[in-house]
Amino acid sequence: MKDHVRPLPSYLIQRYQGWKATTYAENRNWYRRLAEDGQRPRAMVISCCDSRVHVTSIFGADQGEFFIHRNIANLVPPYNPDGDYHGTSAAVEYAVTTLKVAHLIVLGHSQCGGVEGCHAMCTGHAPELEDKTSFVGKWLGILRPGFERVAHLPETERQTALERESVVISLENLMTFPFVKAALDAGDMTIHGLWTDIGEGGLLQYDPASGAFLPV
Amino acid sequence: MKDHVRPLPSYLIQRYQGWKATTYAENRNWYRRLAEDGQRPRAMVISCCDSRVHVTSIFGADQGEFFIHRNIANLVPPYNPDGDYHGTSAAVEYAVTTLKVAHLIVLGHSQCGGVEGCHAMCTGHAPELEDKTSFVGKWLGILRPGFERVAHLPETERQTALERESVVISLENLMTFPFVKAALDAGDMTIHGLWTDIGEGGLLQYDPASGAFLPV
Amino acid sequence: MKDHVRPLPSYLIQRYQGWKATTYAENRNWYRRLAEDGQRPRAMVISCCDSRVHVTSIFGADQGEFFIHRNIANLVPPYNPDGDYHGTSAAVEYAVTTLKVAHLIVLGHSQCGGVEGCHAMCTGHAPELEDKTSFVGKWLGILRPGFERVAHLPETERQTALERESVVISLENLMTFPFVKAALDAGDMTIHGLWTDIGEGGLLQYDPASGAFLPV
Amino acid sequence: MKDHVRPLPSYLIQRYQGWKATTYAENRNWYRRLAEDGQRPRAMVISCCDSRVHVTSIFGADQGEFFIHRNIANLVPPYNPDGDYHGTSAAVEYAVTTLKVAHLIVLGHSQCGGVEGCHAMCTGHAPELEDKTSFVGKWLGILRPGFERVAHLPETERQTALERESVVISLENLMTFPFVKAALDAGDMTIHGLWTDIGEGGLLQYDPASGAFLPV
């Protein structure tokens, strides 16, 4: 490891120093309070790793507001306490049972490369993702049931439809977690499904009554 | 699910509309470019879900710059292609093999509740985390080897030391991924370990030669 | 002072700009009318400083509707024109004699830290509030007669009872102001006592006939 | 009192029920958390009672964010622990010493009736305010030193200048409170002076270096 770990690129160090001298300096007292008193985030957001999705920017959220888990295609696997590592399930468990967040939000987005990969895999165009050793392929398998639901659509409509399925399936899978179900049933938490259009800056929310995504 | 999914709280809708009318409006052309051309992030950051850690803020990173995976305690499990869901490994695989990021950064932080939980578990004070059905406990098990390394320290020093081990162990585990090793060996990517102090706004980086975390 | 006054934290500036581009833009003509013609609020509300009490939200009140005075524990001291500074009395005088509001509303609330402090002080558990230099202790002294009325209750019921006394005592003290009494006697104004439950969103109003607080 | 306290006007009850069914319902879990865990506001705002100034709206602040004191002309009297009731001083003391807010903000505004009254009083046009029994006149006396500073200006410029003095004098008086000074000196709090234009939706901040109010 000694040969590979390097000092941080200087452009990042310079930017960090800019933040330290400005945003940090302006907010130091609040950050110290957060450090001393601990976090008390109001919501958990499950979002994609995609570099174009900035949930804190979209919602003007400052430090301390959102507990954020980010993975490929904002997917939540079904509840499966088999003793293996489940990073997403662990994050949800911590947010719901320890932090007791008031809102649980799944945020999908347009042009999602993960969703595109899932579509390619499900239509036989990405054999490399079907390889047993592909973590990405295996992970995107969570979204396979979504592909079944959009397979009848014209191909041009499938990407967006599947992106929205990535939100709906995550919501459905979240319902299989006993502690999520319990918090929802007790009225201790609300759950929300969103999809944002990167290029147009749009924001739609899942309406379970109609099954559609409607503008907020 | 129909009974539980709710419209987004109005304070978030108002803030979103504020973002749409300002930040989005100012950057619309860039966001459209990002939507049309796809993302091309320079770095992947693996960070904690903690609401007090805003890597984009600290580094002044705008949309498109960082591919960000966030999980509890910024942990990467060892390479283990066993056919199960591995959200973290999938994110790393996608960043390294598809996006071909230039930098891979692991960012730990002070006052980490996950690390605190690991310490409690390893010292026998958190039996609930040792329960087979605890996703959090199982996940924090990735950090157990780190506890062995800090167990000899006075208790007051262990939390910070273990937070830094969460970075070092993730770096070590990343080395076990063949595609990470290959990218590093080929000189196609650099890897970095960071730890930030929430209250003081400090930023230290791992120096493998000394084994210490030094100010950037 | 030069060393201490700082630029506003940027998260607030961003949110302000969001408001300017949305809520302000939508209502500009009304805000301009309010600026040109002056305010003509229908009611004065005396409420607590507590960050969890948003009277404008609870009553859907927009700019121009409520003249709002907020102090610790929504207290009004007795009429005492001794030539000292009386911020609360000045606000009431201005609302009643200059603005001629139609309704004067005192709004108490659950989990009131000020009321809790008064209880601690009256039971001898907060000597620091009895210190001559404690502004908070002196201010909460307005509520001392309320403590006498609830002291016979079991301790678990006293906090809520004392919160309601903070409303009743303010109403009683308001009656000692000649201009308040005159406006009420002339039928030019009505007066109201309310108490809101923060967690449950409840709203009760004081019924002088029974002496109880009843749901609206 | 029995004859004067009335049921709440029905238009307010209707609006409350609207809030209960919408905003409250959407945020119930967060409000419950706030009720159970207590408030932890990031900032205290000292603002005017004026019905046209909605600090929570301007800054998109939801329940729990700002501890708000509102009085006539957003004035803070000088530190004077004489054992009398000082509602403003009590609110500042509570925010700084108990809540330990990170930011202390004084917000003035255009078309301030209190400031206009002070100007009339200082130029001999409001003898009723000079009456010993006028709470408003006495209260506005806090701003008299500000009148001295703007008296040389053309009359058309004095109203705005005096509104800004109401902010500056409050900041100066805040510095006379030992606990405010101590929190500022220790770097535990920052202090800010703002002035908003009601009709234009503008927001300026006090720049102590130049003595001017500059756009944020």
Side-chain angles (χ1 to χ4, degrees), chain C residues 1-2 4-9 11-13 15-17 19-20 23-24 28 31-32 34-35 38-39 41-42 48-54 56-72 77-87 89-91 93-94 103 105 111 113-114 132-136 138-139 142 168 171-172 175 177 179 181 184-185 190-194 198-203 205-206 208-209 216, chain D residues 1-2 4-9 11-13 15-17 19-20 23-24 28 31-32 34-35 38-39 41-42 48-54 56-72 77-87 89-91 93-94 103 105 111 113-114 132-136 138-139 141-142 168 171-172 175 177 179 184-185 190-194 198-203 205-206 208-209 216:
Chain C
M1 191 157 74
K2 290 192 180 170
H4 290 119
V5 178
R6 295 284 164 71
L8 203 60
Y11 86 101
L12 290 178
I13 295 179
R15 288 199 197 164
Y16 156 69
Q17 285 165 343
W19 170 82
K20 183 84 190 286
T23 304
Y24 172 74
R28 187 177 54 178
Y31 294 168
R32 286 183 175 170
L34 285 174
Q39 64 173 327
R42 180 162 170 180
C48 186
C49 300
D50 192 300
S51 63
R52 300 166 294 181
V53 179
H54 275 202
T56 50
S57 177
I58 290 176
F59 290 118
D62 209 50
Q63 258 132 320
E65 296 197 51
F66 289 164
F67 184 80
I68 302 173
H69 173 62
R70 295 178 70 165
N71 65 35
I72 289 190
Y79 180 70
N80 182 21
D82 60 1
D84 280 337
Y85 298 133
H86 292 281
S89 302
E93 181 183 291
Y94 190 79
H103 314 295
I105 300 169
Q111 286 87 29
K132 185 182 177 301
T133 63
S134 169
F135 294 115
V136 173
K138 178 64 189 171
W139 180 252
I142 299 170
V168 175
L171 293 174
E172 289 170 352
M175 298 294 172
F177 286 72
F179 44 83
K181 189 70 169 42
L184 291 171
D185 286 342
T190 57
I191 194 166
H192 310 270
L194 302 174
I198 288 172
E200 296 308 311
L203 187 66
Q205 60 184 333
Y206 178 58
V216 295
Chain D
M1 189 156 76
K2 291 192 181 173
H4 291 118
V5 177
R6 295 285 162 70
L8 204 59
Y11 85 102
L12 289 180
I13 294 179
R15 288 197 194 169
Y16 157 69
Q17 285 164 342
W19 170 81
K20 185 80 189 289
T23 302
Y24 172 75
R28 185 178 53 176
Y31 295 168
R32 285 182 176 172
L34 285 174
Q39 63 174 328
R42 180 163 172 176
C48 186
C49 299
D50 193 299
S51 63
R52 299 167 294 181
V53 179
H54 274 204
T56 50
S57 177
I58 290 175
F59 289 118
D62 209 53
Q63 258 128 321
E65 295 196 52
F66 290 163
F67 184 80
I68 302 174
H69 172 62
R70 295 178 69 165
N71 65 35
I72 290 190
Y79 179 70
N80 183 22
D82 60 3
D84 281 337
Y85 297 134
H86 292 282
S89 302
E93 182 182 290
Y94 191 78
H103 314 294
I105 299 170
Q111 286 88 29
K132 183 180 178 302
T133 63
S134 169
F135 294 114
V136 173
K138 178 63 190 172
W139 181 252
I142 298 169
V168 175
L171 293 174
E172 288 170 351
M175 298 293 170
F177 286 72
F179 45 82
L184 292 171
D185 286 343
T190 57
I191 195 166
H192 311 270
L194 301 176
I198 289 173
E200 297 308 311
L203 187 66
Q205 62 184 332
Y206 177 58
V216 296

Side-chain angles (χ1 to χ4, degrees), chain C residues 84-151:
Chain C
D84 280 337
Y85 298 133
H86 292 281
T88 298
S89 302
V92 173
E93 181 183 291
Y94 190 79
V96 175
T97 66
T98 298
L99 298 174
K100 298 184 198 304
V101 294
H103 314 295
L104 181 49
I105 300 169
V106 178
L107 172 65
H109 69 97
S110 64
Q111 286 87 29
C112 182
V115 167
E116 197 181 349
C118 178
H119 185 267
M121 180 174 71
C122 294
T123 53
H125 293 89
E128 74 283 7
L129 292 177
E130 300 191 73
D131 194 287
K132 185 182 177 301
T133 63
S134 169
F135 294 115
V136 173
K138 178 64 189 171
W139 180 252
L140 292 173
I142 299 170
L143 185 52
R144 264 188 194 274
F147 174 75
E148 307 303 326
R149 299 182 198 162
V150 307

Side-chain angles (χ1 to χ4, degrees), chain B residues 1-22:
Chain B
M1 191 156 75
K2 291 195 177 167
D3 296 340
H4 289 118
V5 178
R6 295 284 164 73
L8 203 60
S10 47
Y11 86 102
L12 289 179
I13 294 178
Q14 281 179 30
R15 288 199 198 163
Y16 157 70
Q17 286 165 343
W19 170 82
K20 183 83 190 287
T22 54

Side-chain angles (χ1 to χ4, degrees), chain D residues 19 41 45 47 50 55 61 72 90 120 122 124 132 139-140 150 162 182 189 194:
Chain D
W19 170 81
V45 180
S47 164
D50 193 299
V55 67
I72 290 190
C122 293
K132 183 180 178 302
W139 181 252
L140 293 174
V150 306
L162 196 51
M189 187 171 74
L194 301 176

